[in-house]
Amino acid sequence: MEKELMRIGVSLPDTLLNKFDEIIDKRGYSSRSEGIRDAIRNYISYYEWMGDIKGHRVGTVSVIYDHTKRGLSNALADIQHHYTHLIKSSVHIHLDHDNCFEVIVLDGDGEDIKELAEAIMSLKGVKFSKLTTVASSENI
């Protein structure tokens, strides 16, 4: 059965596209399209993995964001205040004039942790967000 291919248009900053082109060249992809398909498959797998986060978990959310983006710092603080029952600690580092790196250490219900991570990753101005969780020691 032949798969139907759909054409899409994507707007990207030059720096992001140049970096992507370097990676697909190093990895030996035949085209940008193949690299994009692989990236989308990985994104879908990660999303499905996040859907499976249940029960008591410990973990981290790592975030890089542009603190000059209007309202972003306040939105991040509001989200964290909403989830104080999960947050055990956080570390905030200033990477350069515009960018900050934050690691939030979490302990609690997996579905609540996933909610917090998704709320952060959906904010405009967040450049990178990664959730990592493991079963808590009581489940190991």
Side-chain angles (χ1 to χ4, degrees):
M1 175 190 220
E2 188 174 314
K3 295 179 182 176
E4 182 180 342
L5 296 178
M6 305 294 294
R7 277 195 194 273
I8 62 170
V10 178
S11 299
L12 301 171
D14 286 345
T15 55
L16 186 60
L17 183 58
N18 291 337
K19 189 167 216 151
F20 185 73
D21 284 342
E22 287 175 22
I23 292 168
I24 63 173
D25 185 51
K26 286 179 184 176
R27 294 192 73 191
Y29 286 106
S30 61
S31 66
R32 276 185 185 156
S33 292
E34 188 54 40
I36 291 169
R37 282 191 289 272
D38 193 35
I40 290 172
R41 283 190 288 271
N42 283 327
Y43 183 81
I44 290 168
S45 293
Y46 182 72
Y47 177 82
E48 289 172 348
W49 169 82
M50 283 185 67
D52 224 15
I53 299 173
K54 294 178 175 62
H56 191 231
R57 310 287 284 193
V58 293
T60 60
V61 176
S62 302
V63 185
I64 295 176
Y65 64 95
D66 180 350
H67 85 98
T68 66
K69 183 78 176 168
R70 183 179 212 132
L72 180 57
S73 294
N74 287 339
L76 284 166
D78 288 345
I79 290 167
Q80 291 182 49
H81 282 277
H82 183 75
Y83 290 96
T84 56
H85 63 286
L86 299 174
I87 298 173
K88 298 304 171 197
S89 183
S90 66
V91 177
H92 182 99
I93 299 168
H94 303 278
L95 297 176
D96 56 37
H97 183 268
D98 295 340
N99 296 292
C100 294
F101 175 55
E102 194 159 346
V103 178
I104 305 163
V105 180
L106 307 161
D107 182 0
D109 179 69
E111 291 179 0
D112 289 345
I113 288 173
K114 181 178 69 170
E115 253 180 42
L116 179 150
E118 288 176 335
I120 289 173
M121 68 178 60
S122 69
L123 294 172
K124 195 166 191 163
V126 170
K127 297 179 176 183
F128 171 85
S129 179
K130 178 77 174 191
L131 170 64
T132 304
T133 70
V134 295
S136 68
S137 61
E138 65 190 39
N139 295 332
I140 296 176

